[in-house]
Amino acid sequence: MVAKDKMKILLITLSASASLATLVCRESEFSCDGSRCIPRKWLCDGDPDCTDGTDEMTTNCPAKEGDGARSCRASEFQCGNGNCIPQTWKCDGQDDCRDNTDEESCEKTCRETQFQCVSDKQCITKKWRCDNQKDCQDGSDEENCEEEVVTVPPHMFRCASGITIPTRWVCDGQEDCSEGSDEKDCPGGEEKKPVERSDPCRDNEFQCGAYCIMATWVCDGGVDCPNGEDEANCDKECPESHFTCSNKQCILGHLRCNGEKECADGSDESECPKVPAVTDAPKVECNLTSHFLCSLNKCIHRRNLCNGRNDCGDWQDESEEECGVNECERNNGGCTHLCVDSKEGYHCECRTGFRLVGKYTCEDIDECLEVPGTCSQQCTNTNGGYHCSCLPGYERDPGNYTRCKASTGEPYLLFSHRYDIRSLRLRDNDMTSVVSDAREATALDYLFTGHQIIWSDNKENQIIRANITTPEEREILVTGEQVSADGLAVDWIHNHIYYTDTGNFKIRLVSWDAKWSKTIVQEELGQPRAIVVSPLDGYIFWTDWGMSPKIERAGLDGEGRTAIVTAPHVYWPNGITIDLPNNDLYWCDGKLNTISKARLDGTQIEVVLFSPSVLRLPYSITVFEDRLYWTDWSQLALYSANKFNGEDIHNVSAGHLLESPKVVHVFHEYRQPSGENVCNGHSCSHLCIRSPVGMAKCMCPDGLLLSTRDSISCIEGELPDIVEPSSEPVNPVIPIMPSDFDYNKEEIIPLETYKYGKISTLETSNFSLIFSVGVGSAVVLAIVVMVLVGLWRKRVAAEVPHMRFPNPVYRKTTDEEMDGGGYIIGHDDLLFKPTTVQYSEGPDIPEGDADDTPLAPKK
């Protein structure tokens, strides 16, 4: 008994000593009651990191005089609850303060050049007013048009649908009005026959409208054309896993009666079984294996037995009869965290942020690695939790400290809209036309620092550039009958333009001044579509929806090409984009109805969103902050969703769109962050790019070669062709004869040679000359050898008396050093490293032998 008491006293003493020991934190850290250290920069950031919240208490945080609220900077807005947010977040349509004070008193006003819709107060350009197209959600832009005097400029033509096009497009053989009114009543009394497309679909493709799809996709049960013509008039029976629509269209069986019309005729939603009305649920008998039946006829789960709570209502579940011995009272049952007693025994549980390993031990969960989207950008794992932080230029949302938002600038969506290129301000969905009078605007990108936009017009077969402020002043960068660019990307660091030439099945690079162009990828290209560039890493990425669908990556010069994503992860890959803060690659697939992501090397592939309704035919995708934005061939809308889990889907396009948007980009400075231009200071004569290892590399445009003399200049010429050897003689080589040779008596020896100058045969029997020359040479060679042997013997004999090592220096080395080679191998890197050896002179050496004595290395 005495020994037991002594042991108790010892344990109490040790426990008291342990409690007195305080954790000493560094100067850059803050102490949470001496039990934990956190970085001082986490202090007063609005997110409690100490378990007791001391890092956010007013005693540790600077307060504004008077009311105790935190003081905001001049560039910030103070919320009603005391939080501070950037001024740019005020009236952006999002409750950033979490008390809605940043969205109060936000009266929307339109510019003089805009018309304000009645119901939602949206602003649209005035030229859309009374154009027979409802651009406002409520159609107010088409009301009271009788009072409006709508004038069409002389250089414009109004289509029957109401849209206006340049008069030069009228009667040119191409239908630019959606209903073809621009090609009617043309001179000559007959409608002009439309000109065939310069890029028709190939033999293994099917044309639906203005697009091509793989012929193997026709009548496969999935709608791939916007109007469903690929699944119309299909005579073959649908597979058992599919449902046959009334129009013989095939759809997946699980889409039947799901509340969405998948069949073009809506037959998949007809004659659906009615959902039975909810009635009083029958009494469920208690499963005594997993549940416990209380005396009050109440069934509870067995895990609720002996948990200290009155779950039965009469404490039967906590009685000694049911619970028996409480093993948790002794040494906490051996559990490192929580011990839960039960009738059958007990089990261990862990606190939030930990998980059970084995039966007793709890280990920390690394939420940063295991839970996607735990933080918007930077995530630091802590013991039992985590801490989120933002990159420079971003600030944490005070209402949700795991989210980061841009602190400066206002994001817009730039998207091609066939006849024009439009911008959509995300703050209030204000939409306006940036570029007008386009015939078939498809691919686009921009240079933020120069406020320039570049786009492809696939009907004009051109790539065009203009300043956003003066879009009417345009430069044609690339033109040609076969030029058709579905994808276009700007290298904003080195000022290059990349595009997928779908008409010629190439990927090409164009210098910013359009003087030089180069084909960087050509071999084994199927159907290249979208392209994105990462100049900070030295890579380009593109999608290919050909017979072997894939996503490929290569250097900015096209070298090091590799397929990083292949089937089954892609089937019809279209749009592609890079989330720069997180180094993630996103793409959309029109056949799989998915948006997926991966790392930039193609690893860690995961599906973010699957939806046959909002991802029916996704075409283009972009990302900014925590949101994805995409377009769809079959939808007159722009969509948005959370980039981590695909939730919170919204239609962000305001008003009515005349055409399906094509390519979309977020226009913001953080989408093109500044970086080092490794080509500055390098005098490449034509093109300079960054290699993936960060080095500058000179390149030459098509038709020129890089000089091997300086590796920076380009010269004219072509790579030499490899010529196979020929058996035909060419220009026989005539041997040089002695000056006293008698050409009348001796016969000239003809030699046959190949193109490479190799002697093949000797076609003469006159060997007298060769024999005399050979004998003379042998005699001379023998004399020379005898002289050299004699000199060598004399030299060896002379060296013996002087063989010594004056001033020797011997230094112990490890087995890592290699004698005589001047190289060492380190255990760490196992690389050969050159070392420098210095030599000193030895003592005086007898004259004539100075070259015979080795020099000793210096200390």
Side-chain angles (χ1 to χ4, degrees):
M1 190 70 179
V2 176
K4 190 174 182 180
D5 291 340
K6 288 183 177 180
M7 182 61 69
K8 284 185 178 181
I9 295 172
L10 178 60
L11 290 174
I12 294 172
T13 306
L14 290 174
S15 176
S17 301
S19 63
L20 293 174
T22 7
L23 189 61
V24 179
C25 300
R26 291 173 290 190
E27 292 184 2
S28 60
E29 296 177 327
F30 174 78
S31 176
C32 300
D33 276 349
S35 59
R36 182 184 173 200
C37 299
I38 64 171
R40 188 164 288 277
K41 64 181 180 181
W42 296 0
L43 188 65
C44 304
D45 62 355
D47 184 19
D49 297 292
C50 296
T51 54
D52 56 1
T54 52
D55 57 316
E56 298 301 320
M57 290 183 177
T58 54
T59 53
N60 296 318
C61 298
K64 187 176 179 180
E65 293 182 4
D67 55 4
R70 259 188 277 172
S71 58
C72 299
R73 296 187 293 267
S75 59
E76 295 179 326
F77 170 81
Q78 185 148 21
C79 306
N81 55 17
N83 290 332
C84 301
I85 64 170
Q87 286 284 357
T88 55
W89 297 4
K90 179 174 170 55
C91 297
D92 65 351
Q94 300 181 30
D95 183 11
D96 300 298
C97 287
R98 291 300 184 267
D99 60 3
N100 207 42
T101 53
D102 57 318
E103 298 302 317
E104 294 176 354
S105 305
C106 295
E107 295 184 4
K108 196 168 186 178
T109 58
C110 299
R111 297 186 293 271
E112 293 182 359
T113 58
Q114 293 179 320
F115 170 82
Q116 189 168 36
C117 303
V118 175
S119 61
D120 55 8
K121 305 301 180 182
Q122 292 294 330
C123 300
I124 64 172
T125 181
K126 270 189 177 179
K127 68 179 182 180
W128 297 348
R129 164 87 168 127
C130 297
D131 63 352
N132 293 332
Q133 296 288 338
K134 293 182 179 180
D135 298 291
C136 293
Q137 292 280 12
D138 56 4
S140 56
D141 58 315
E142 298 302 318
E143 295 177 355
N144 304 320
C145 288
E146 299 79 8
E147 304 173 2
E148 294 282 340
V149 179
V150 182
T151 58
V152 179
H155 66 284
M156 301 298 290
F157 171 82
R158 181 181 288 277
C159 302
S161 61
I163 67 170
T164 56
I165 62 173
T167 53
R168 67 178 185 274
W169 297 358
V170 178
C171 296
D172 65 348
Q174 299 188 42
E175 293 184 354
D176 297 291
C177 296
S178 57
E179 76 294 329
S181 58
D182 59 315
E183 300 301 321
K184 295 179 180 179
D185 302 325
C186 292
E190 295 182 358
E191 297 178 10
K192 205 165 185 179
K193 185 178 180 181
V195 179
E196 294 184 0
R197 289 175 58 89
S198 59
D199 54 341
C201 299
R202 295 189 288 186
D203 293 338
N204 62 342
E205 295 174 347
F206 174 81
Q207 186 164 358
C208 46
Y211 308 105
C212 301
I213 65 171
M214 302 300 294
T216 55
W217 299 355
V218 178
C219 296
D220 65 347
V223 178
D224 302 302
C225 293
N227 297 324
E229 53 263 45
D230 59 313
E231 298 300 318
N233 304 319
C234 294
D235 296 329
K236 67 178 184 179
E237 295 182 359
C238 298
E240 293 183 1
S241 59
H242 287 61
F243 170 78
T244 305
C245 306
S246 299
N247 61 356
K248 304 302 181 182
Q249 177 186 343
C250 300
I251 64 169
L252 295 172
H254 72 270
L255 300 178
R256 161 91 165 123
C257 296
N258 65 347
E260 298 284 342
K261 292 182 179 180
E262 309 295 342
C263 295
D265 55 9
S267 56
D268 58 314
E269 296 301 320
S270 61
E271 300 179 359
C272 293
K274 295 183 179 180
V275 179
V278 178
T279 59
D280 294 334
K283 185 177 181 180
V284 180
E285 295 184 1
C286 210
N287 184 356
L288 299 181
T289 303
S290 58
H291 289 68
F292 174 77
L293 183 60
C294 304
S295 58
L296 298 179
N297 203 27
K298 183 178 180 181
C299 188
I300 66 172
H301 201 283
R302 286 193 172 273
R303 66 167 172 261
N304 294 329
L305 287 173
C306 308
N307 62 355
R309 298 174 183 174
N310 186 12
D311 296 294
C312 281
D314 59 357
W315 293 99
Q316 181 186 0
D317 54 311
E318 301 299 320
S319 64
E320 185 177 350
E321 178 184 354
E322 301 298 336
C323 296
V325 179
N326 188 354
E327 293 89 348
C328 295
E329 292 181 351
R330 183 178 180 182
N331 196 26
N332 199 37
C335 302
T336 55
H337 280 187
L338 306 176
C339 181
V340 180
D341 186 43
S342 64
K343 181 179 180 180
E344 294 79 6
Y346 72 101
H347 66 275
C348 299
E349 292 183 356
C350 299
R351 292 190 292 268
T352 304
F354 296 86
R355 64 165 154 249
L356 193 64
V357 179
K359 293 181 63 177
Y360 308 102
T361 307
C362 294
E363 73 170 10
D364 175 56
I365 298 174
D366 191 343
E367 294 86 354
C368 299
L369 292 178
E370 301 182 21
V371 185
T374 297
C375 298
S376 282
Q377 295 177 355
Q378 296 175 328
C379 183
T380 304
N381 185 54
T382 61
N383 192 30
Y386 58 91
H387 181 87
C388 298
S389 55
C390 302
L391 295 171
Y394 294 84
E395 292 189 14
R396 294 200 301 175
D397 186 341
N400 184 352
Y401 282 97
T402 65
R403 306 296 98 196
C404 296
K405 294 182 64 175
S407 57
T408 60
E410 192 162 32
Y412 288 78
L413 290 183
L414 279 179
F415 61 96
S416 53
H417 187 237
R418 186 179 178 183
Y419 300 110
D420 60 1
I421 296 175
R422 298 187 178 185
S423 71
L424 177 71
R425 188 165 59 192
L426 292 175
R427 172 167 57 89
D428 54 6
N429 292 345
D430 179 13
M431 187 187 297
T432 185
S433 180
V434 178
V435 174
S436 303
D437 307 337
R439 302 194 76 169
E440 195 175 321
T442 305
L444 69 90
D445 204 350
Y446 62 89
L447 181 66
F448 186 87
T449 55
H451 288 275
Q452 293 176 305
I453 183 173
I454 301 97
W455 73 94
S456 66
D457 193 315
N458 286 351
K459 187 169 281 190
E460 297 281 9
N461 301 120
Q462 295 175 342
I463 295 179
I464 309 165
R465 178 173 62 203
N467 193 291
I468 293 179
T469 57
T470 56
E472 63 279 356
E473 300 175 8
R474 305 176 183 180
E475 301 174 78
I476 298 176
L477 304 179
V478 181
T479 186
E481 292 184 1
Q482 297 298 320
V483 174
S484 178
D486 279 359
L488 192 151
V490 171
D491 177 351
W492 65 90
I493 301 293
H494 311 98
N495 291 336
H496 294 143
I497 302 169
Y498 293 83
Y499 69 94
T500 57
D501 189 348
T502 56
N504 298 296
F505 310 104
K506 297 177 180 178
I507 294 178
R508 297 179 59 83
L509 174 151
V510 180
S511 61
W512 190 252
D513 56 10
K515 288 183 179 180
W516 317 114
S517 65
K518 180 176 179 63
T519 300
I520 60 173
V521 177
Q522 185 174 6
E523 301 297 330
E524 299 181 7
L525 270 182
Q527 291 282 12
R529 168 133 308 151
I531 187 170
V532 65
V533 62
S534 179
L536 301 175
D537 303 312
Y539 286 110
I540 56 172
F541 304 80
W542 69 91
T543 59
D544 188 332
W545 61 277
M547 294 300 293
S548 300
K550 54 187 172 294
I551 296 175
E552 294 194 75
R553 181 183 75 173
L556 297 181
D557 57 353
E559 299 295 329
R561 176 182 170 191
T562 180
I564 60 173
V565 181
T566 57
H569 302 291
V570 288
Y571 201 116
W572 187 4
N574 284 324
I576 189 172
T577 189
I578 296 178
D579 181 14
L580 294 173
N582 295 321
N583 287 326
D584 285 329
L585 190 72
Y586 286 85
W587 69 92
C588 55
D589 195 293
K591 190 71 173 174
L592 301 178
N593 309 120
T594 57
I595 291 177
S596 304
K597 76 169 183 176
R599 303 300 291 171
L600 296 185
D601 59 358
T603 59
Q604 302 179 32
I605 300 175
E606 62 178 278
V607 175
V608 176
L609 175 62
F610 166 76
S611 174
S613 55
V614 296
L615 290 174
R616 185 183 172 194
L617 292 172
Y619 185 80
S620 177
I621 188 171
T622 187
V623 61
F624 185 67
E625 292 177 347
D626 289 349
R627 305 291 297 179
L628 293 169
Y629 303 89
W630 70 90
T631 63
D632 193 296
W633 270 353
S634 63
Q635 308 282 351
L636 299 178
L638 287 159
Y639 288 101
S640 172
N642 184 284
K643 72 178 182 182
F644 296 111
N645 50 33
E647 297 177 354
D648 193 24
I649 300 174
H650 288 295
N651 180 349
V652 298
S653 52
H656 177 68
L657 296 175
L658 305 180
E659 297 281 340
S660 299
K662 296 299 182 290
V663 175
V664 61
H665 281 281
V666 171
F667 184 82
H668 193 276
E669 60 182 304
Y670 292 165
R671 286 291 295 159
Q672 295 184 348
S674 59
E676 179 190 8
N677 186 348
V678 297
C679 291
N680 286 341
H682 289 267
S683 53
C684 296
S685 63
H686 289 73
L687 297 169
C688 178
I689 59 99
R690 174 195 177 104
S691 69
V693 296
M695 304 294 291
K697 182 177 181 180
C698 297
M699 291 196 310
C700 295
D702 292 340
L704 297 180
L705 298 176
L706 191 65
S707 171
T708 56
R709 186 175 51 189
D710 57 14
S711 297
I712 61 174
S713 304
C714 295
I715 58 176
E716 294 184 357
E718 296 181 355
L719 292 172
D721 295 328
I722 299 177
V723 183
E724 296 295 332
S726 172
S727 59
E728 299 179 2
V730 292
N731 297 331
V733 178
I734 308 299
I736 300 176
M737 298 302 176
S739 58
D740 58 350
F741 189 81
D742 190 349
Y743 288 88
N744 296 322
K745 293 183 180 180
E746 299 293 340
E747 180 181 359
I748 296 177
I749 303 172
L751 299 175
E752 286 190 358
T753 63
Y754 286 110
K755 289 183 180 181
Y756 293 106
K758 292 182 179 179
I759 299 176
S760 59
T761 58
L762 187 64
E763 297 182 352
T764 182
S765 60
N766 190 352
F767 293 101
S768 58
L769 178 62
I770 297 178
F771 179 79
S772 59
V773 172
V775 172
S777 299
V779 172
V780 173
L781 179 61
I783 295 173
V784 171
V785 170
M786 293 174 64
V787 171
L788 292 175
V789 171
L791 292 174
W792 176 75
R793 288 182 176 179
K794 183 178 179 180
R795 185 181 183 88
V796 171
E799 287 178 345
V800 173
H802 304 287
M803 193 66 179
R804 63 183 183 274
F805 297 90
N807 191 22
V809 176
Y810 176 75
R811 179 172 56 88
K812 273 193 173 182
T813 62
T814 66
D815 56 357
E816 301 160 354
E817 207 164 326
M818 298 179 62
D819 293 337
Y823 296 87
I824 58 173
I825 302 179
H827 285 301
D828 294 333
D829 48 15
L830 294 178
L831 296 175
F832 288 100
K833 300 179 181 178
T835 58
T836 303
V837 179
Q838 294 179 311
Y839 295 96
S840 62
E841 298 179 357
D844 294 338
I845 302 172
E847 188 176 353
D849 297 330
D851 295 334
D852 301 333
T853 306
L855 298 176
K858 282 186 179 179
K859 282 187 178 181

